[in-house]
Structures are given as structure tokens and as C-alpha cells.
């Protein structure tokens, strides 16, 4: 890690908050509990225990791995439905095949992102390719769920294949940080991801001792999740380490700093920075469906059971009952 990098960050555009930007305070730091998803791959639940009013429009985020699979061990998820939101799968190391019942799909690897707008509903599967199951290997990624406003929940599904080479690369004034803008924009530099709900998603790598103070839209919330390493957040330098999420308060800039010394297996601080415009609508979430009311949730389950969210392609020899 990371998959997308440059030899000399000083060749990249540099970003820094203006001196008069109000620094966002750190409201809380939480530690993600560990669990298992799908057929048994390990995850950290990045947003567990955080009040939704600080997450909105984000629903959940899982760090998948980092894990070194032995031959025969790689696992994925079986066919499953979604409705009412967007899933963002970002692969840092490794390779994943994915397909949906609406015709989207492909292979993502080493810095690629699969952005799926479930909208009115579809079926989806994610799994390692057969050759990786046979050989084993490193796997590490993220899956983020982004809510859709009520007016867009029943829109037609859409798929975006974002290759790692298309992300917007930026750096800090001293070149000590590499910023990968996957979606949204930072200081006028836009990432390739197209979102219905205005958000910014950045994967930042900070060299030991490096610090970034980034301009941040005041109408967005602010979150920082540590993928690897140790550092601090906010002007108050609140300590954070791998598997922790920092929740920022209001303001026009946010600060992240890498400790001078990192763990032996982690040369840099790796952080995902998220900001989004809160939707501020009622949310009803259960399993793979995110709607506005319990009645809409019930309708989603009924539509899935009656096959209205699509069918598994015949080549897989499965039915929806495989969920």
C-alpha cells in the first residue's frame, strides 16, 4: 500500500487551507470493532458507535482486510440485493471481480474503485477471481455506503468503473503528503467519481512527521479513518491509530499529522478523508436496503422476494434464493 503513487509528489499541484480558515475541532475518536462479512472475509466497522447526524450522508464503511490469504482462502460475498443508496468499493491491494443484475461489473485492482448506484434496486456479487482463490495473496480495500435523497432512491441503477490512474493526485506545500481525490473536489481539483449526493472522498498518505491542513467545505461534515499507521488530528493533535475514526466539528479546514515514528510494517500514515452534504431526511435502514420509512423497507423486501430487483444471470446457475 498504496497502489497509486508518484516518485516525486512535488511535481503535483499543492493544496493548503488559507490562514483565515476556521479549524475544525475534533469531536470524537472511535475505534472500529472487527467482524466478518459475506463468506467470511475480515472487516473493521469504521463507523460503529458514531451518531448518524455526524455521518449523514454516509451510512457505513468497512475496511476489508488487510489480510494475506493462503491458497484456497480468499472469500467474497454471494449474490445479494441493494436499494436506495450507492456502494463504493475501493481496492488498495489485491483483485476483486464484481457483477450486478443490471449489466454492470468488471475487475477492480490496486487503486481501482467500483461505484454502484443501486437506486431502485439490483442484485450484486463480489468475489475474488478463481486464480486468486487458487494462489492466495494480499487483499485490502474499503466499502463505503452513501445515502441517496428520497427523490433519487428509485432512480435507475448506474455503474462507474474508476481506474486508479484516473484519480486526481495532489500534495501538500512541502510534498510530505500524497492526496488521491477519488470523488468530489479539493481546492478546485475534482476527482473522477460522479456522485448524486455531494461528497468528497480522499485517500491520503502522509510521510512520518508530515502534516496537512486542507480546506474543507463548511456545508460538509468531516471524517477521517486511519487505514494504517499512527498520527494525530485537529489543531489539538488528538492521537489516532489504525482502525480509528475521527469526527470533526464545524469549520473551514481540517488537519491531520503523521507521527515521526511509524510501526515497522507501516512506513506512512494512511488516512481516508470523507466529507458530505447532509441529506437531513428520515432514514430507515435494514440489511441491504436504505429507505426513508419502514413501509418502504417492507416494499423493498417484497420486491426482492418477488424478483423485481432483477435475476441472477443464468451463467452462474443460481437463483435469488442464494442470498
Amino acid at each position: 500500500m498504496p497502489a497509486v503513487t508518484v516518485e516525486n509528489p512535488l511535481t503535483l499541484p499543492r493544496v493548503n487551507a488559507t490562514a483565515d480558515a476556521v479549524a475544525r475541532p475534533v469531536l470524537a475518536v472511535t475505534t472500529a470493532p472487527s467482524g466478518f462479512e459475506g463468506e467470511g472475509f475480515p472487516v473493521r466497522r469504521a463507523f460503529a458507535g458514531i451518531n448518524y447526524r455526524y455521518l449523514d450522508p454516509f451510512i457505513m464503511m468497512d475496511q476489508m482486510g488487510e489480510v494475506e490469504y493462503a491458497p484456497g482462502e480468499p472469500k467474497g460475498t454471494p449474490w445479494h440485493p441493494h436499494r436506495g443508496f450507492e456502494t463504493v468499493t475501493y481496492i488498495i491491494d489485491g483483485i476483486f471481480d464484481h457483477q450486478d443484475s443490471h449489466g454492470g461489473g468488471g475487475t477492480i485492482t490496486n487503486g481501482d474503485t467500483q461505484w454502484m448506484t443501486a437506486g431502485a434496486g439490483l442484485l450484486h456479487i463480489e468475489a475474488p477471481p478463481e486464480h486468486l482463490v487458487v494462489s492466495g495473496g494480499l487483499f485490502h480495500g474499503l466499502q463505503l455506503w452513501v445515502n441517496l435523497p428520497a427523490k433519487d432512491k428509485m432512480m435507475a441503477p448506474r455503474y462507474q468503473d474508476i481506474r486508479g490512474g484516473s484519480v486526481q493526485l495532489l500534495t501538500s506545500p512541502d510534498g510530505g503528503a500524497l492526496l488521491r481525490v477519488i470523488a468530489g473536489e479539493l481546492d478546485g481539483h475534482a476527482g473522477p467519481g460522479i456522485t448524486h449526493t455531494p461528497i468528497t472522498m480522499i485517500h491520503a498518505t502522509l510521510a512520518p512527521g508530515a502534516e496537512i491542513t486542507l480546506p474543507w467545505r463548511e456545508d460538509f461534515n468531516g471524517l477521517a479513518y486511519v487505514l494504517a499507521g499512527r498520527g494525530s488530528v485537529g489543531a489539538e493533535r488528538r492521537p489516532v491509530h489504525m482502525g480509528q475514526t475521527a469526527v470533526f466539528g464545524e469549520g473551514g479546514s481540517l488537519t491531520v499529522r503523521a507521527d515521526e515514528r511509524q510501526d515497522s510494517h507501516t512506513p506512512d500514515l494512511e488516512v481516508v478523508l470523507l466529507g458530505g452534504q447532509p441529506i437531513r431526511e428520515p432514514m430507515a435502514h435494514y440489511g441491504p436496503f436504505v429507505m426513508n420509512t419502514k413501509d418502504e423497507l417492507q416494499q423493498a423486501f417484497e420486491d426482492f422476494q418477488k424478483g423485481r430487483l432483477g435475476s441472477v444471470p443464468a451463467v452462474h446457475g443460481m437463483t435469488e434464493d442464494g442470498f
Side-chain angles (χ1 to χ4, degrees), residues 13 15 76 93 124 141 144 150 153 176 253 274 303 318:
V15 295
D93 289 297
H124 187 232
L144 171 71
K153 283 195 178 293
S253 71
L274 295 169
D303 289 346
M318 293 176 57

Side-chain angles (χ1 to χ4, degrees), residues 102 117-120 152 154-158:
H102 200 253
T117 304
D152 293 329
M154 297 299 287
M155 67 177 295
R158 183 182 67 178

Side-chain angles (χ1 to χ4, degrees), residues 3 28-29 58 66 85 90-91 97 115 119 145 153 171 175 183 203 221 255 268 288 298 304:
V29 172
F58 307 110
E66 178 177 11
F85 64 103
Y90 174 49
I91 299 299
D97 289 338
W115 199 296
W145 289 13
K153 283 195 178 293
T171 190
H203 175 192
N221 59 0
T255 297
D268 302 307
Q298 184 61 44
F304 166 61

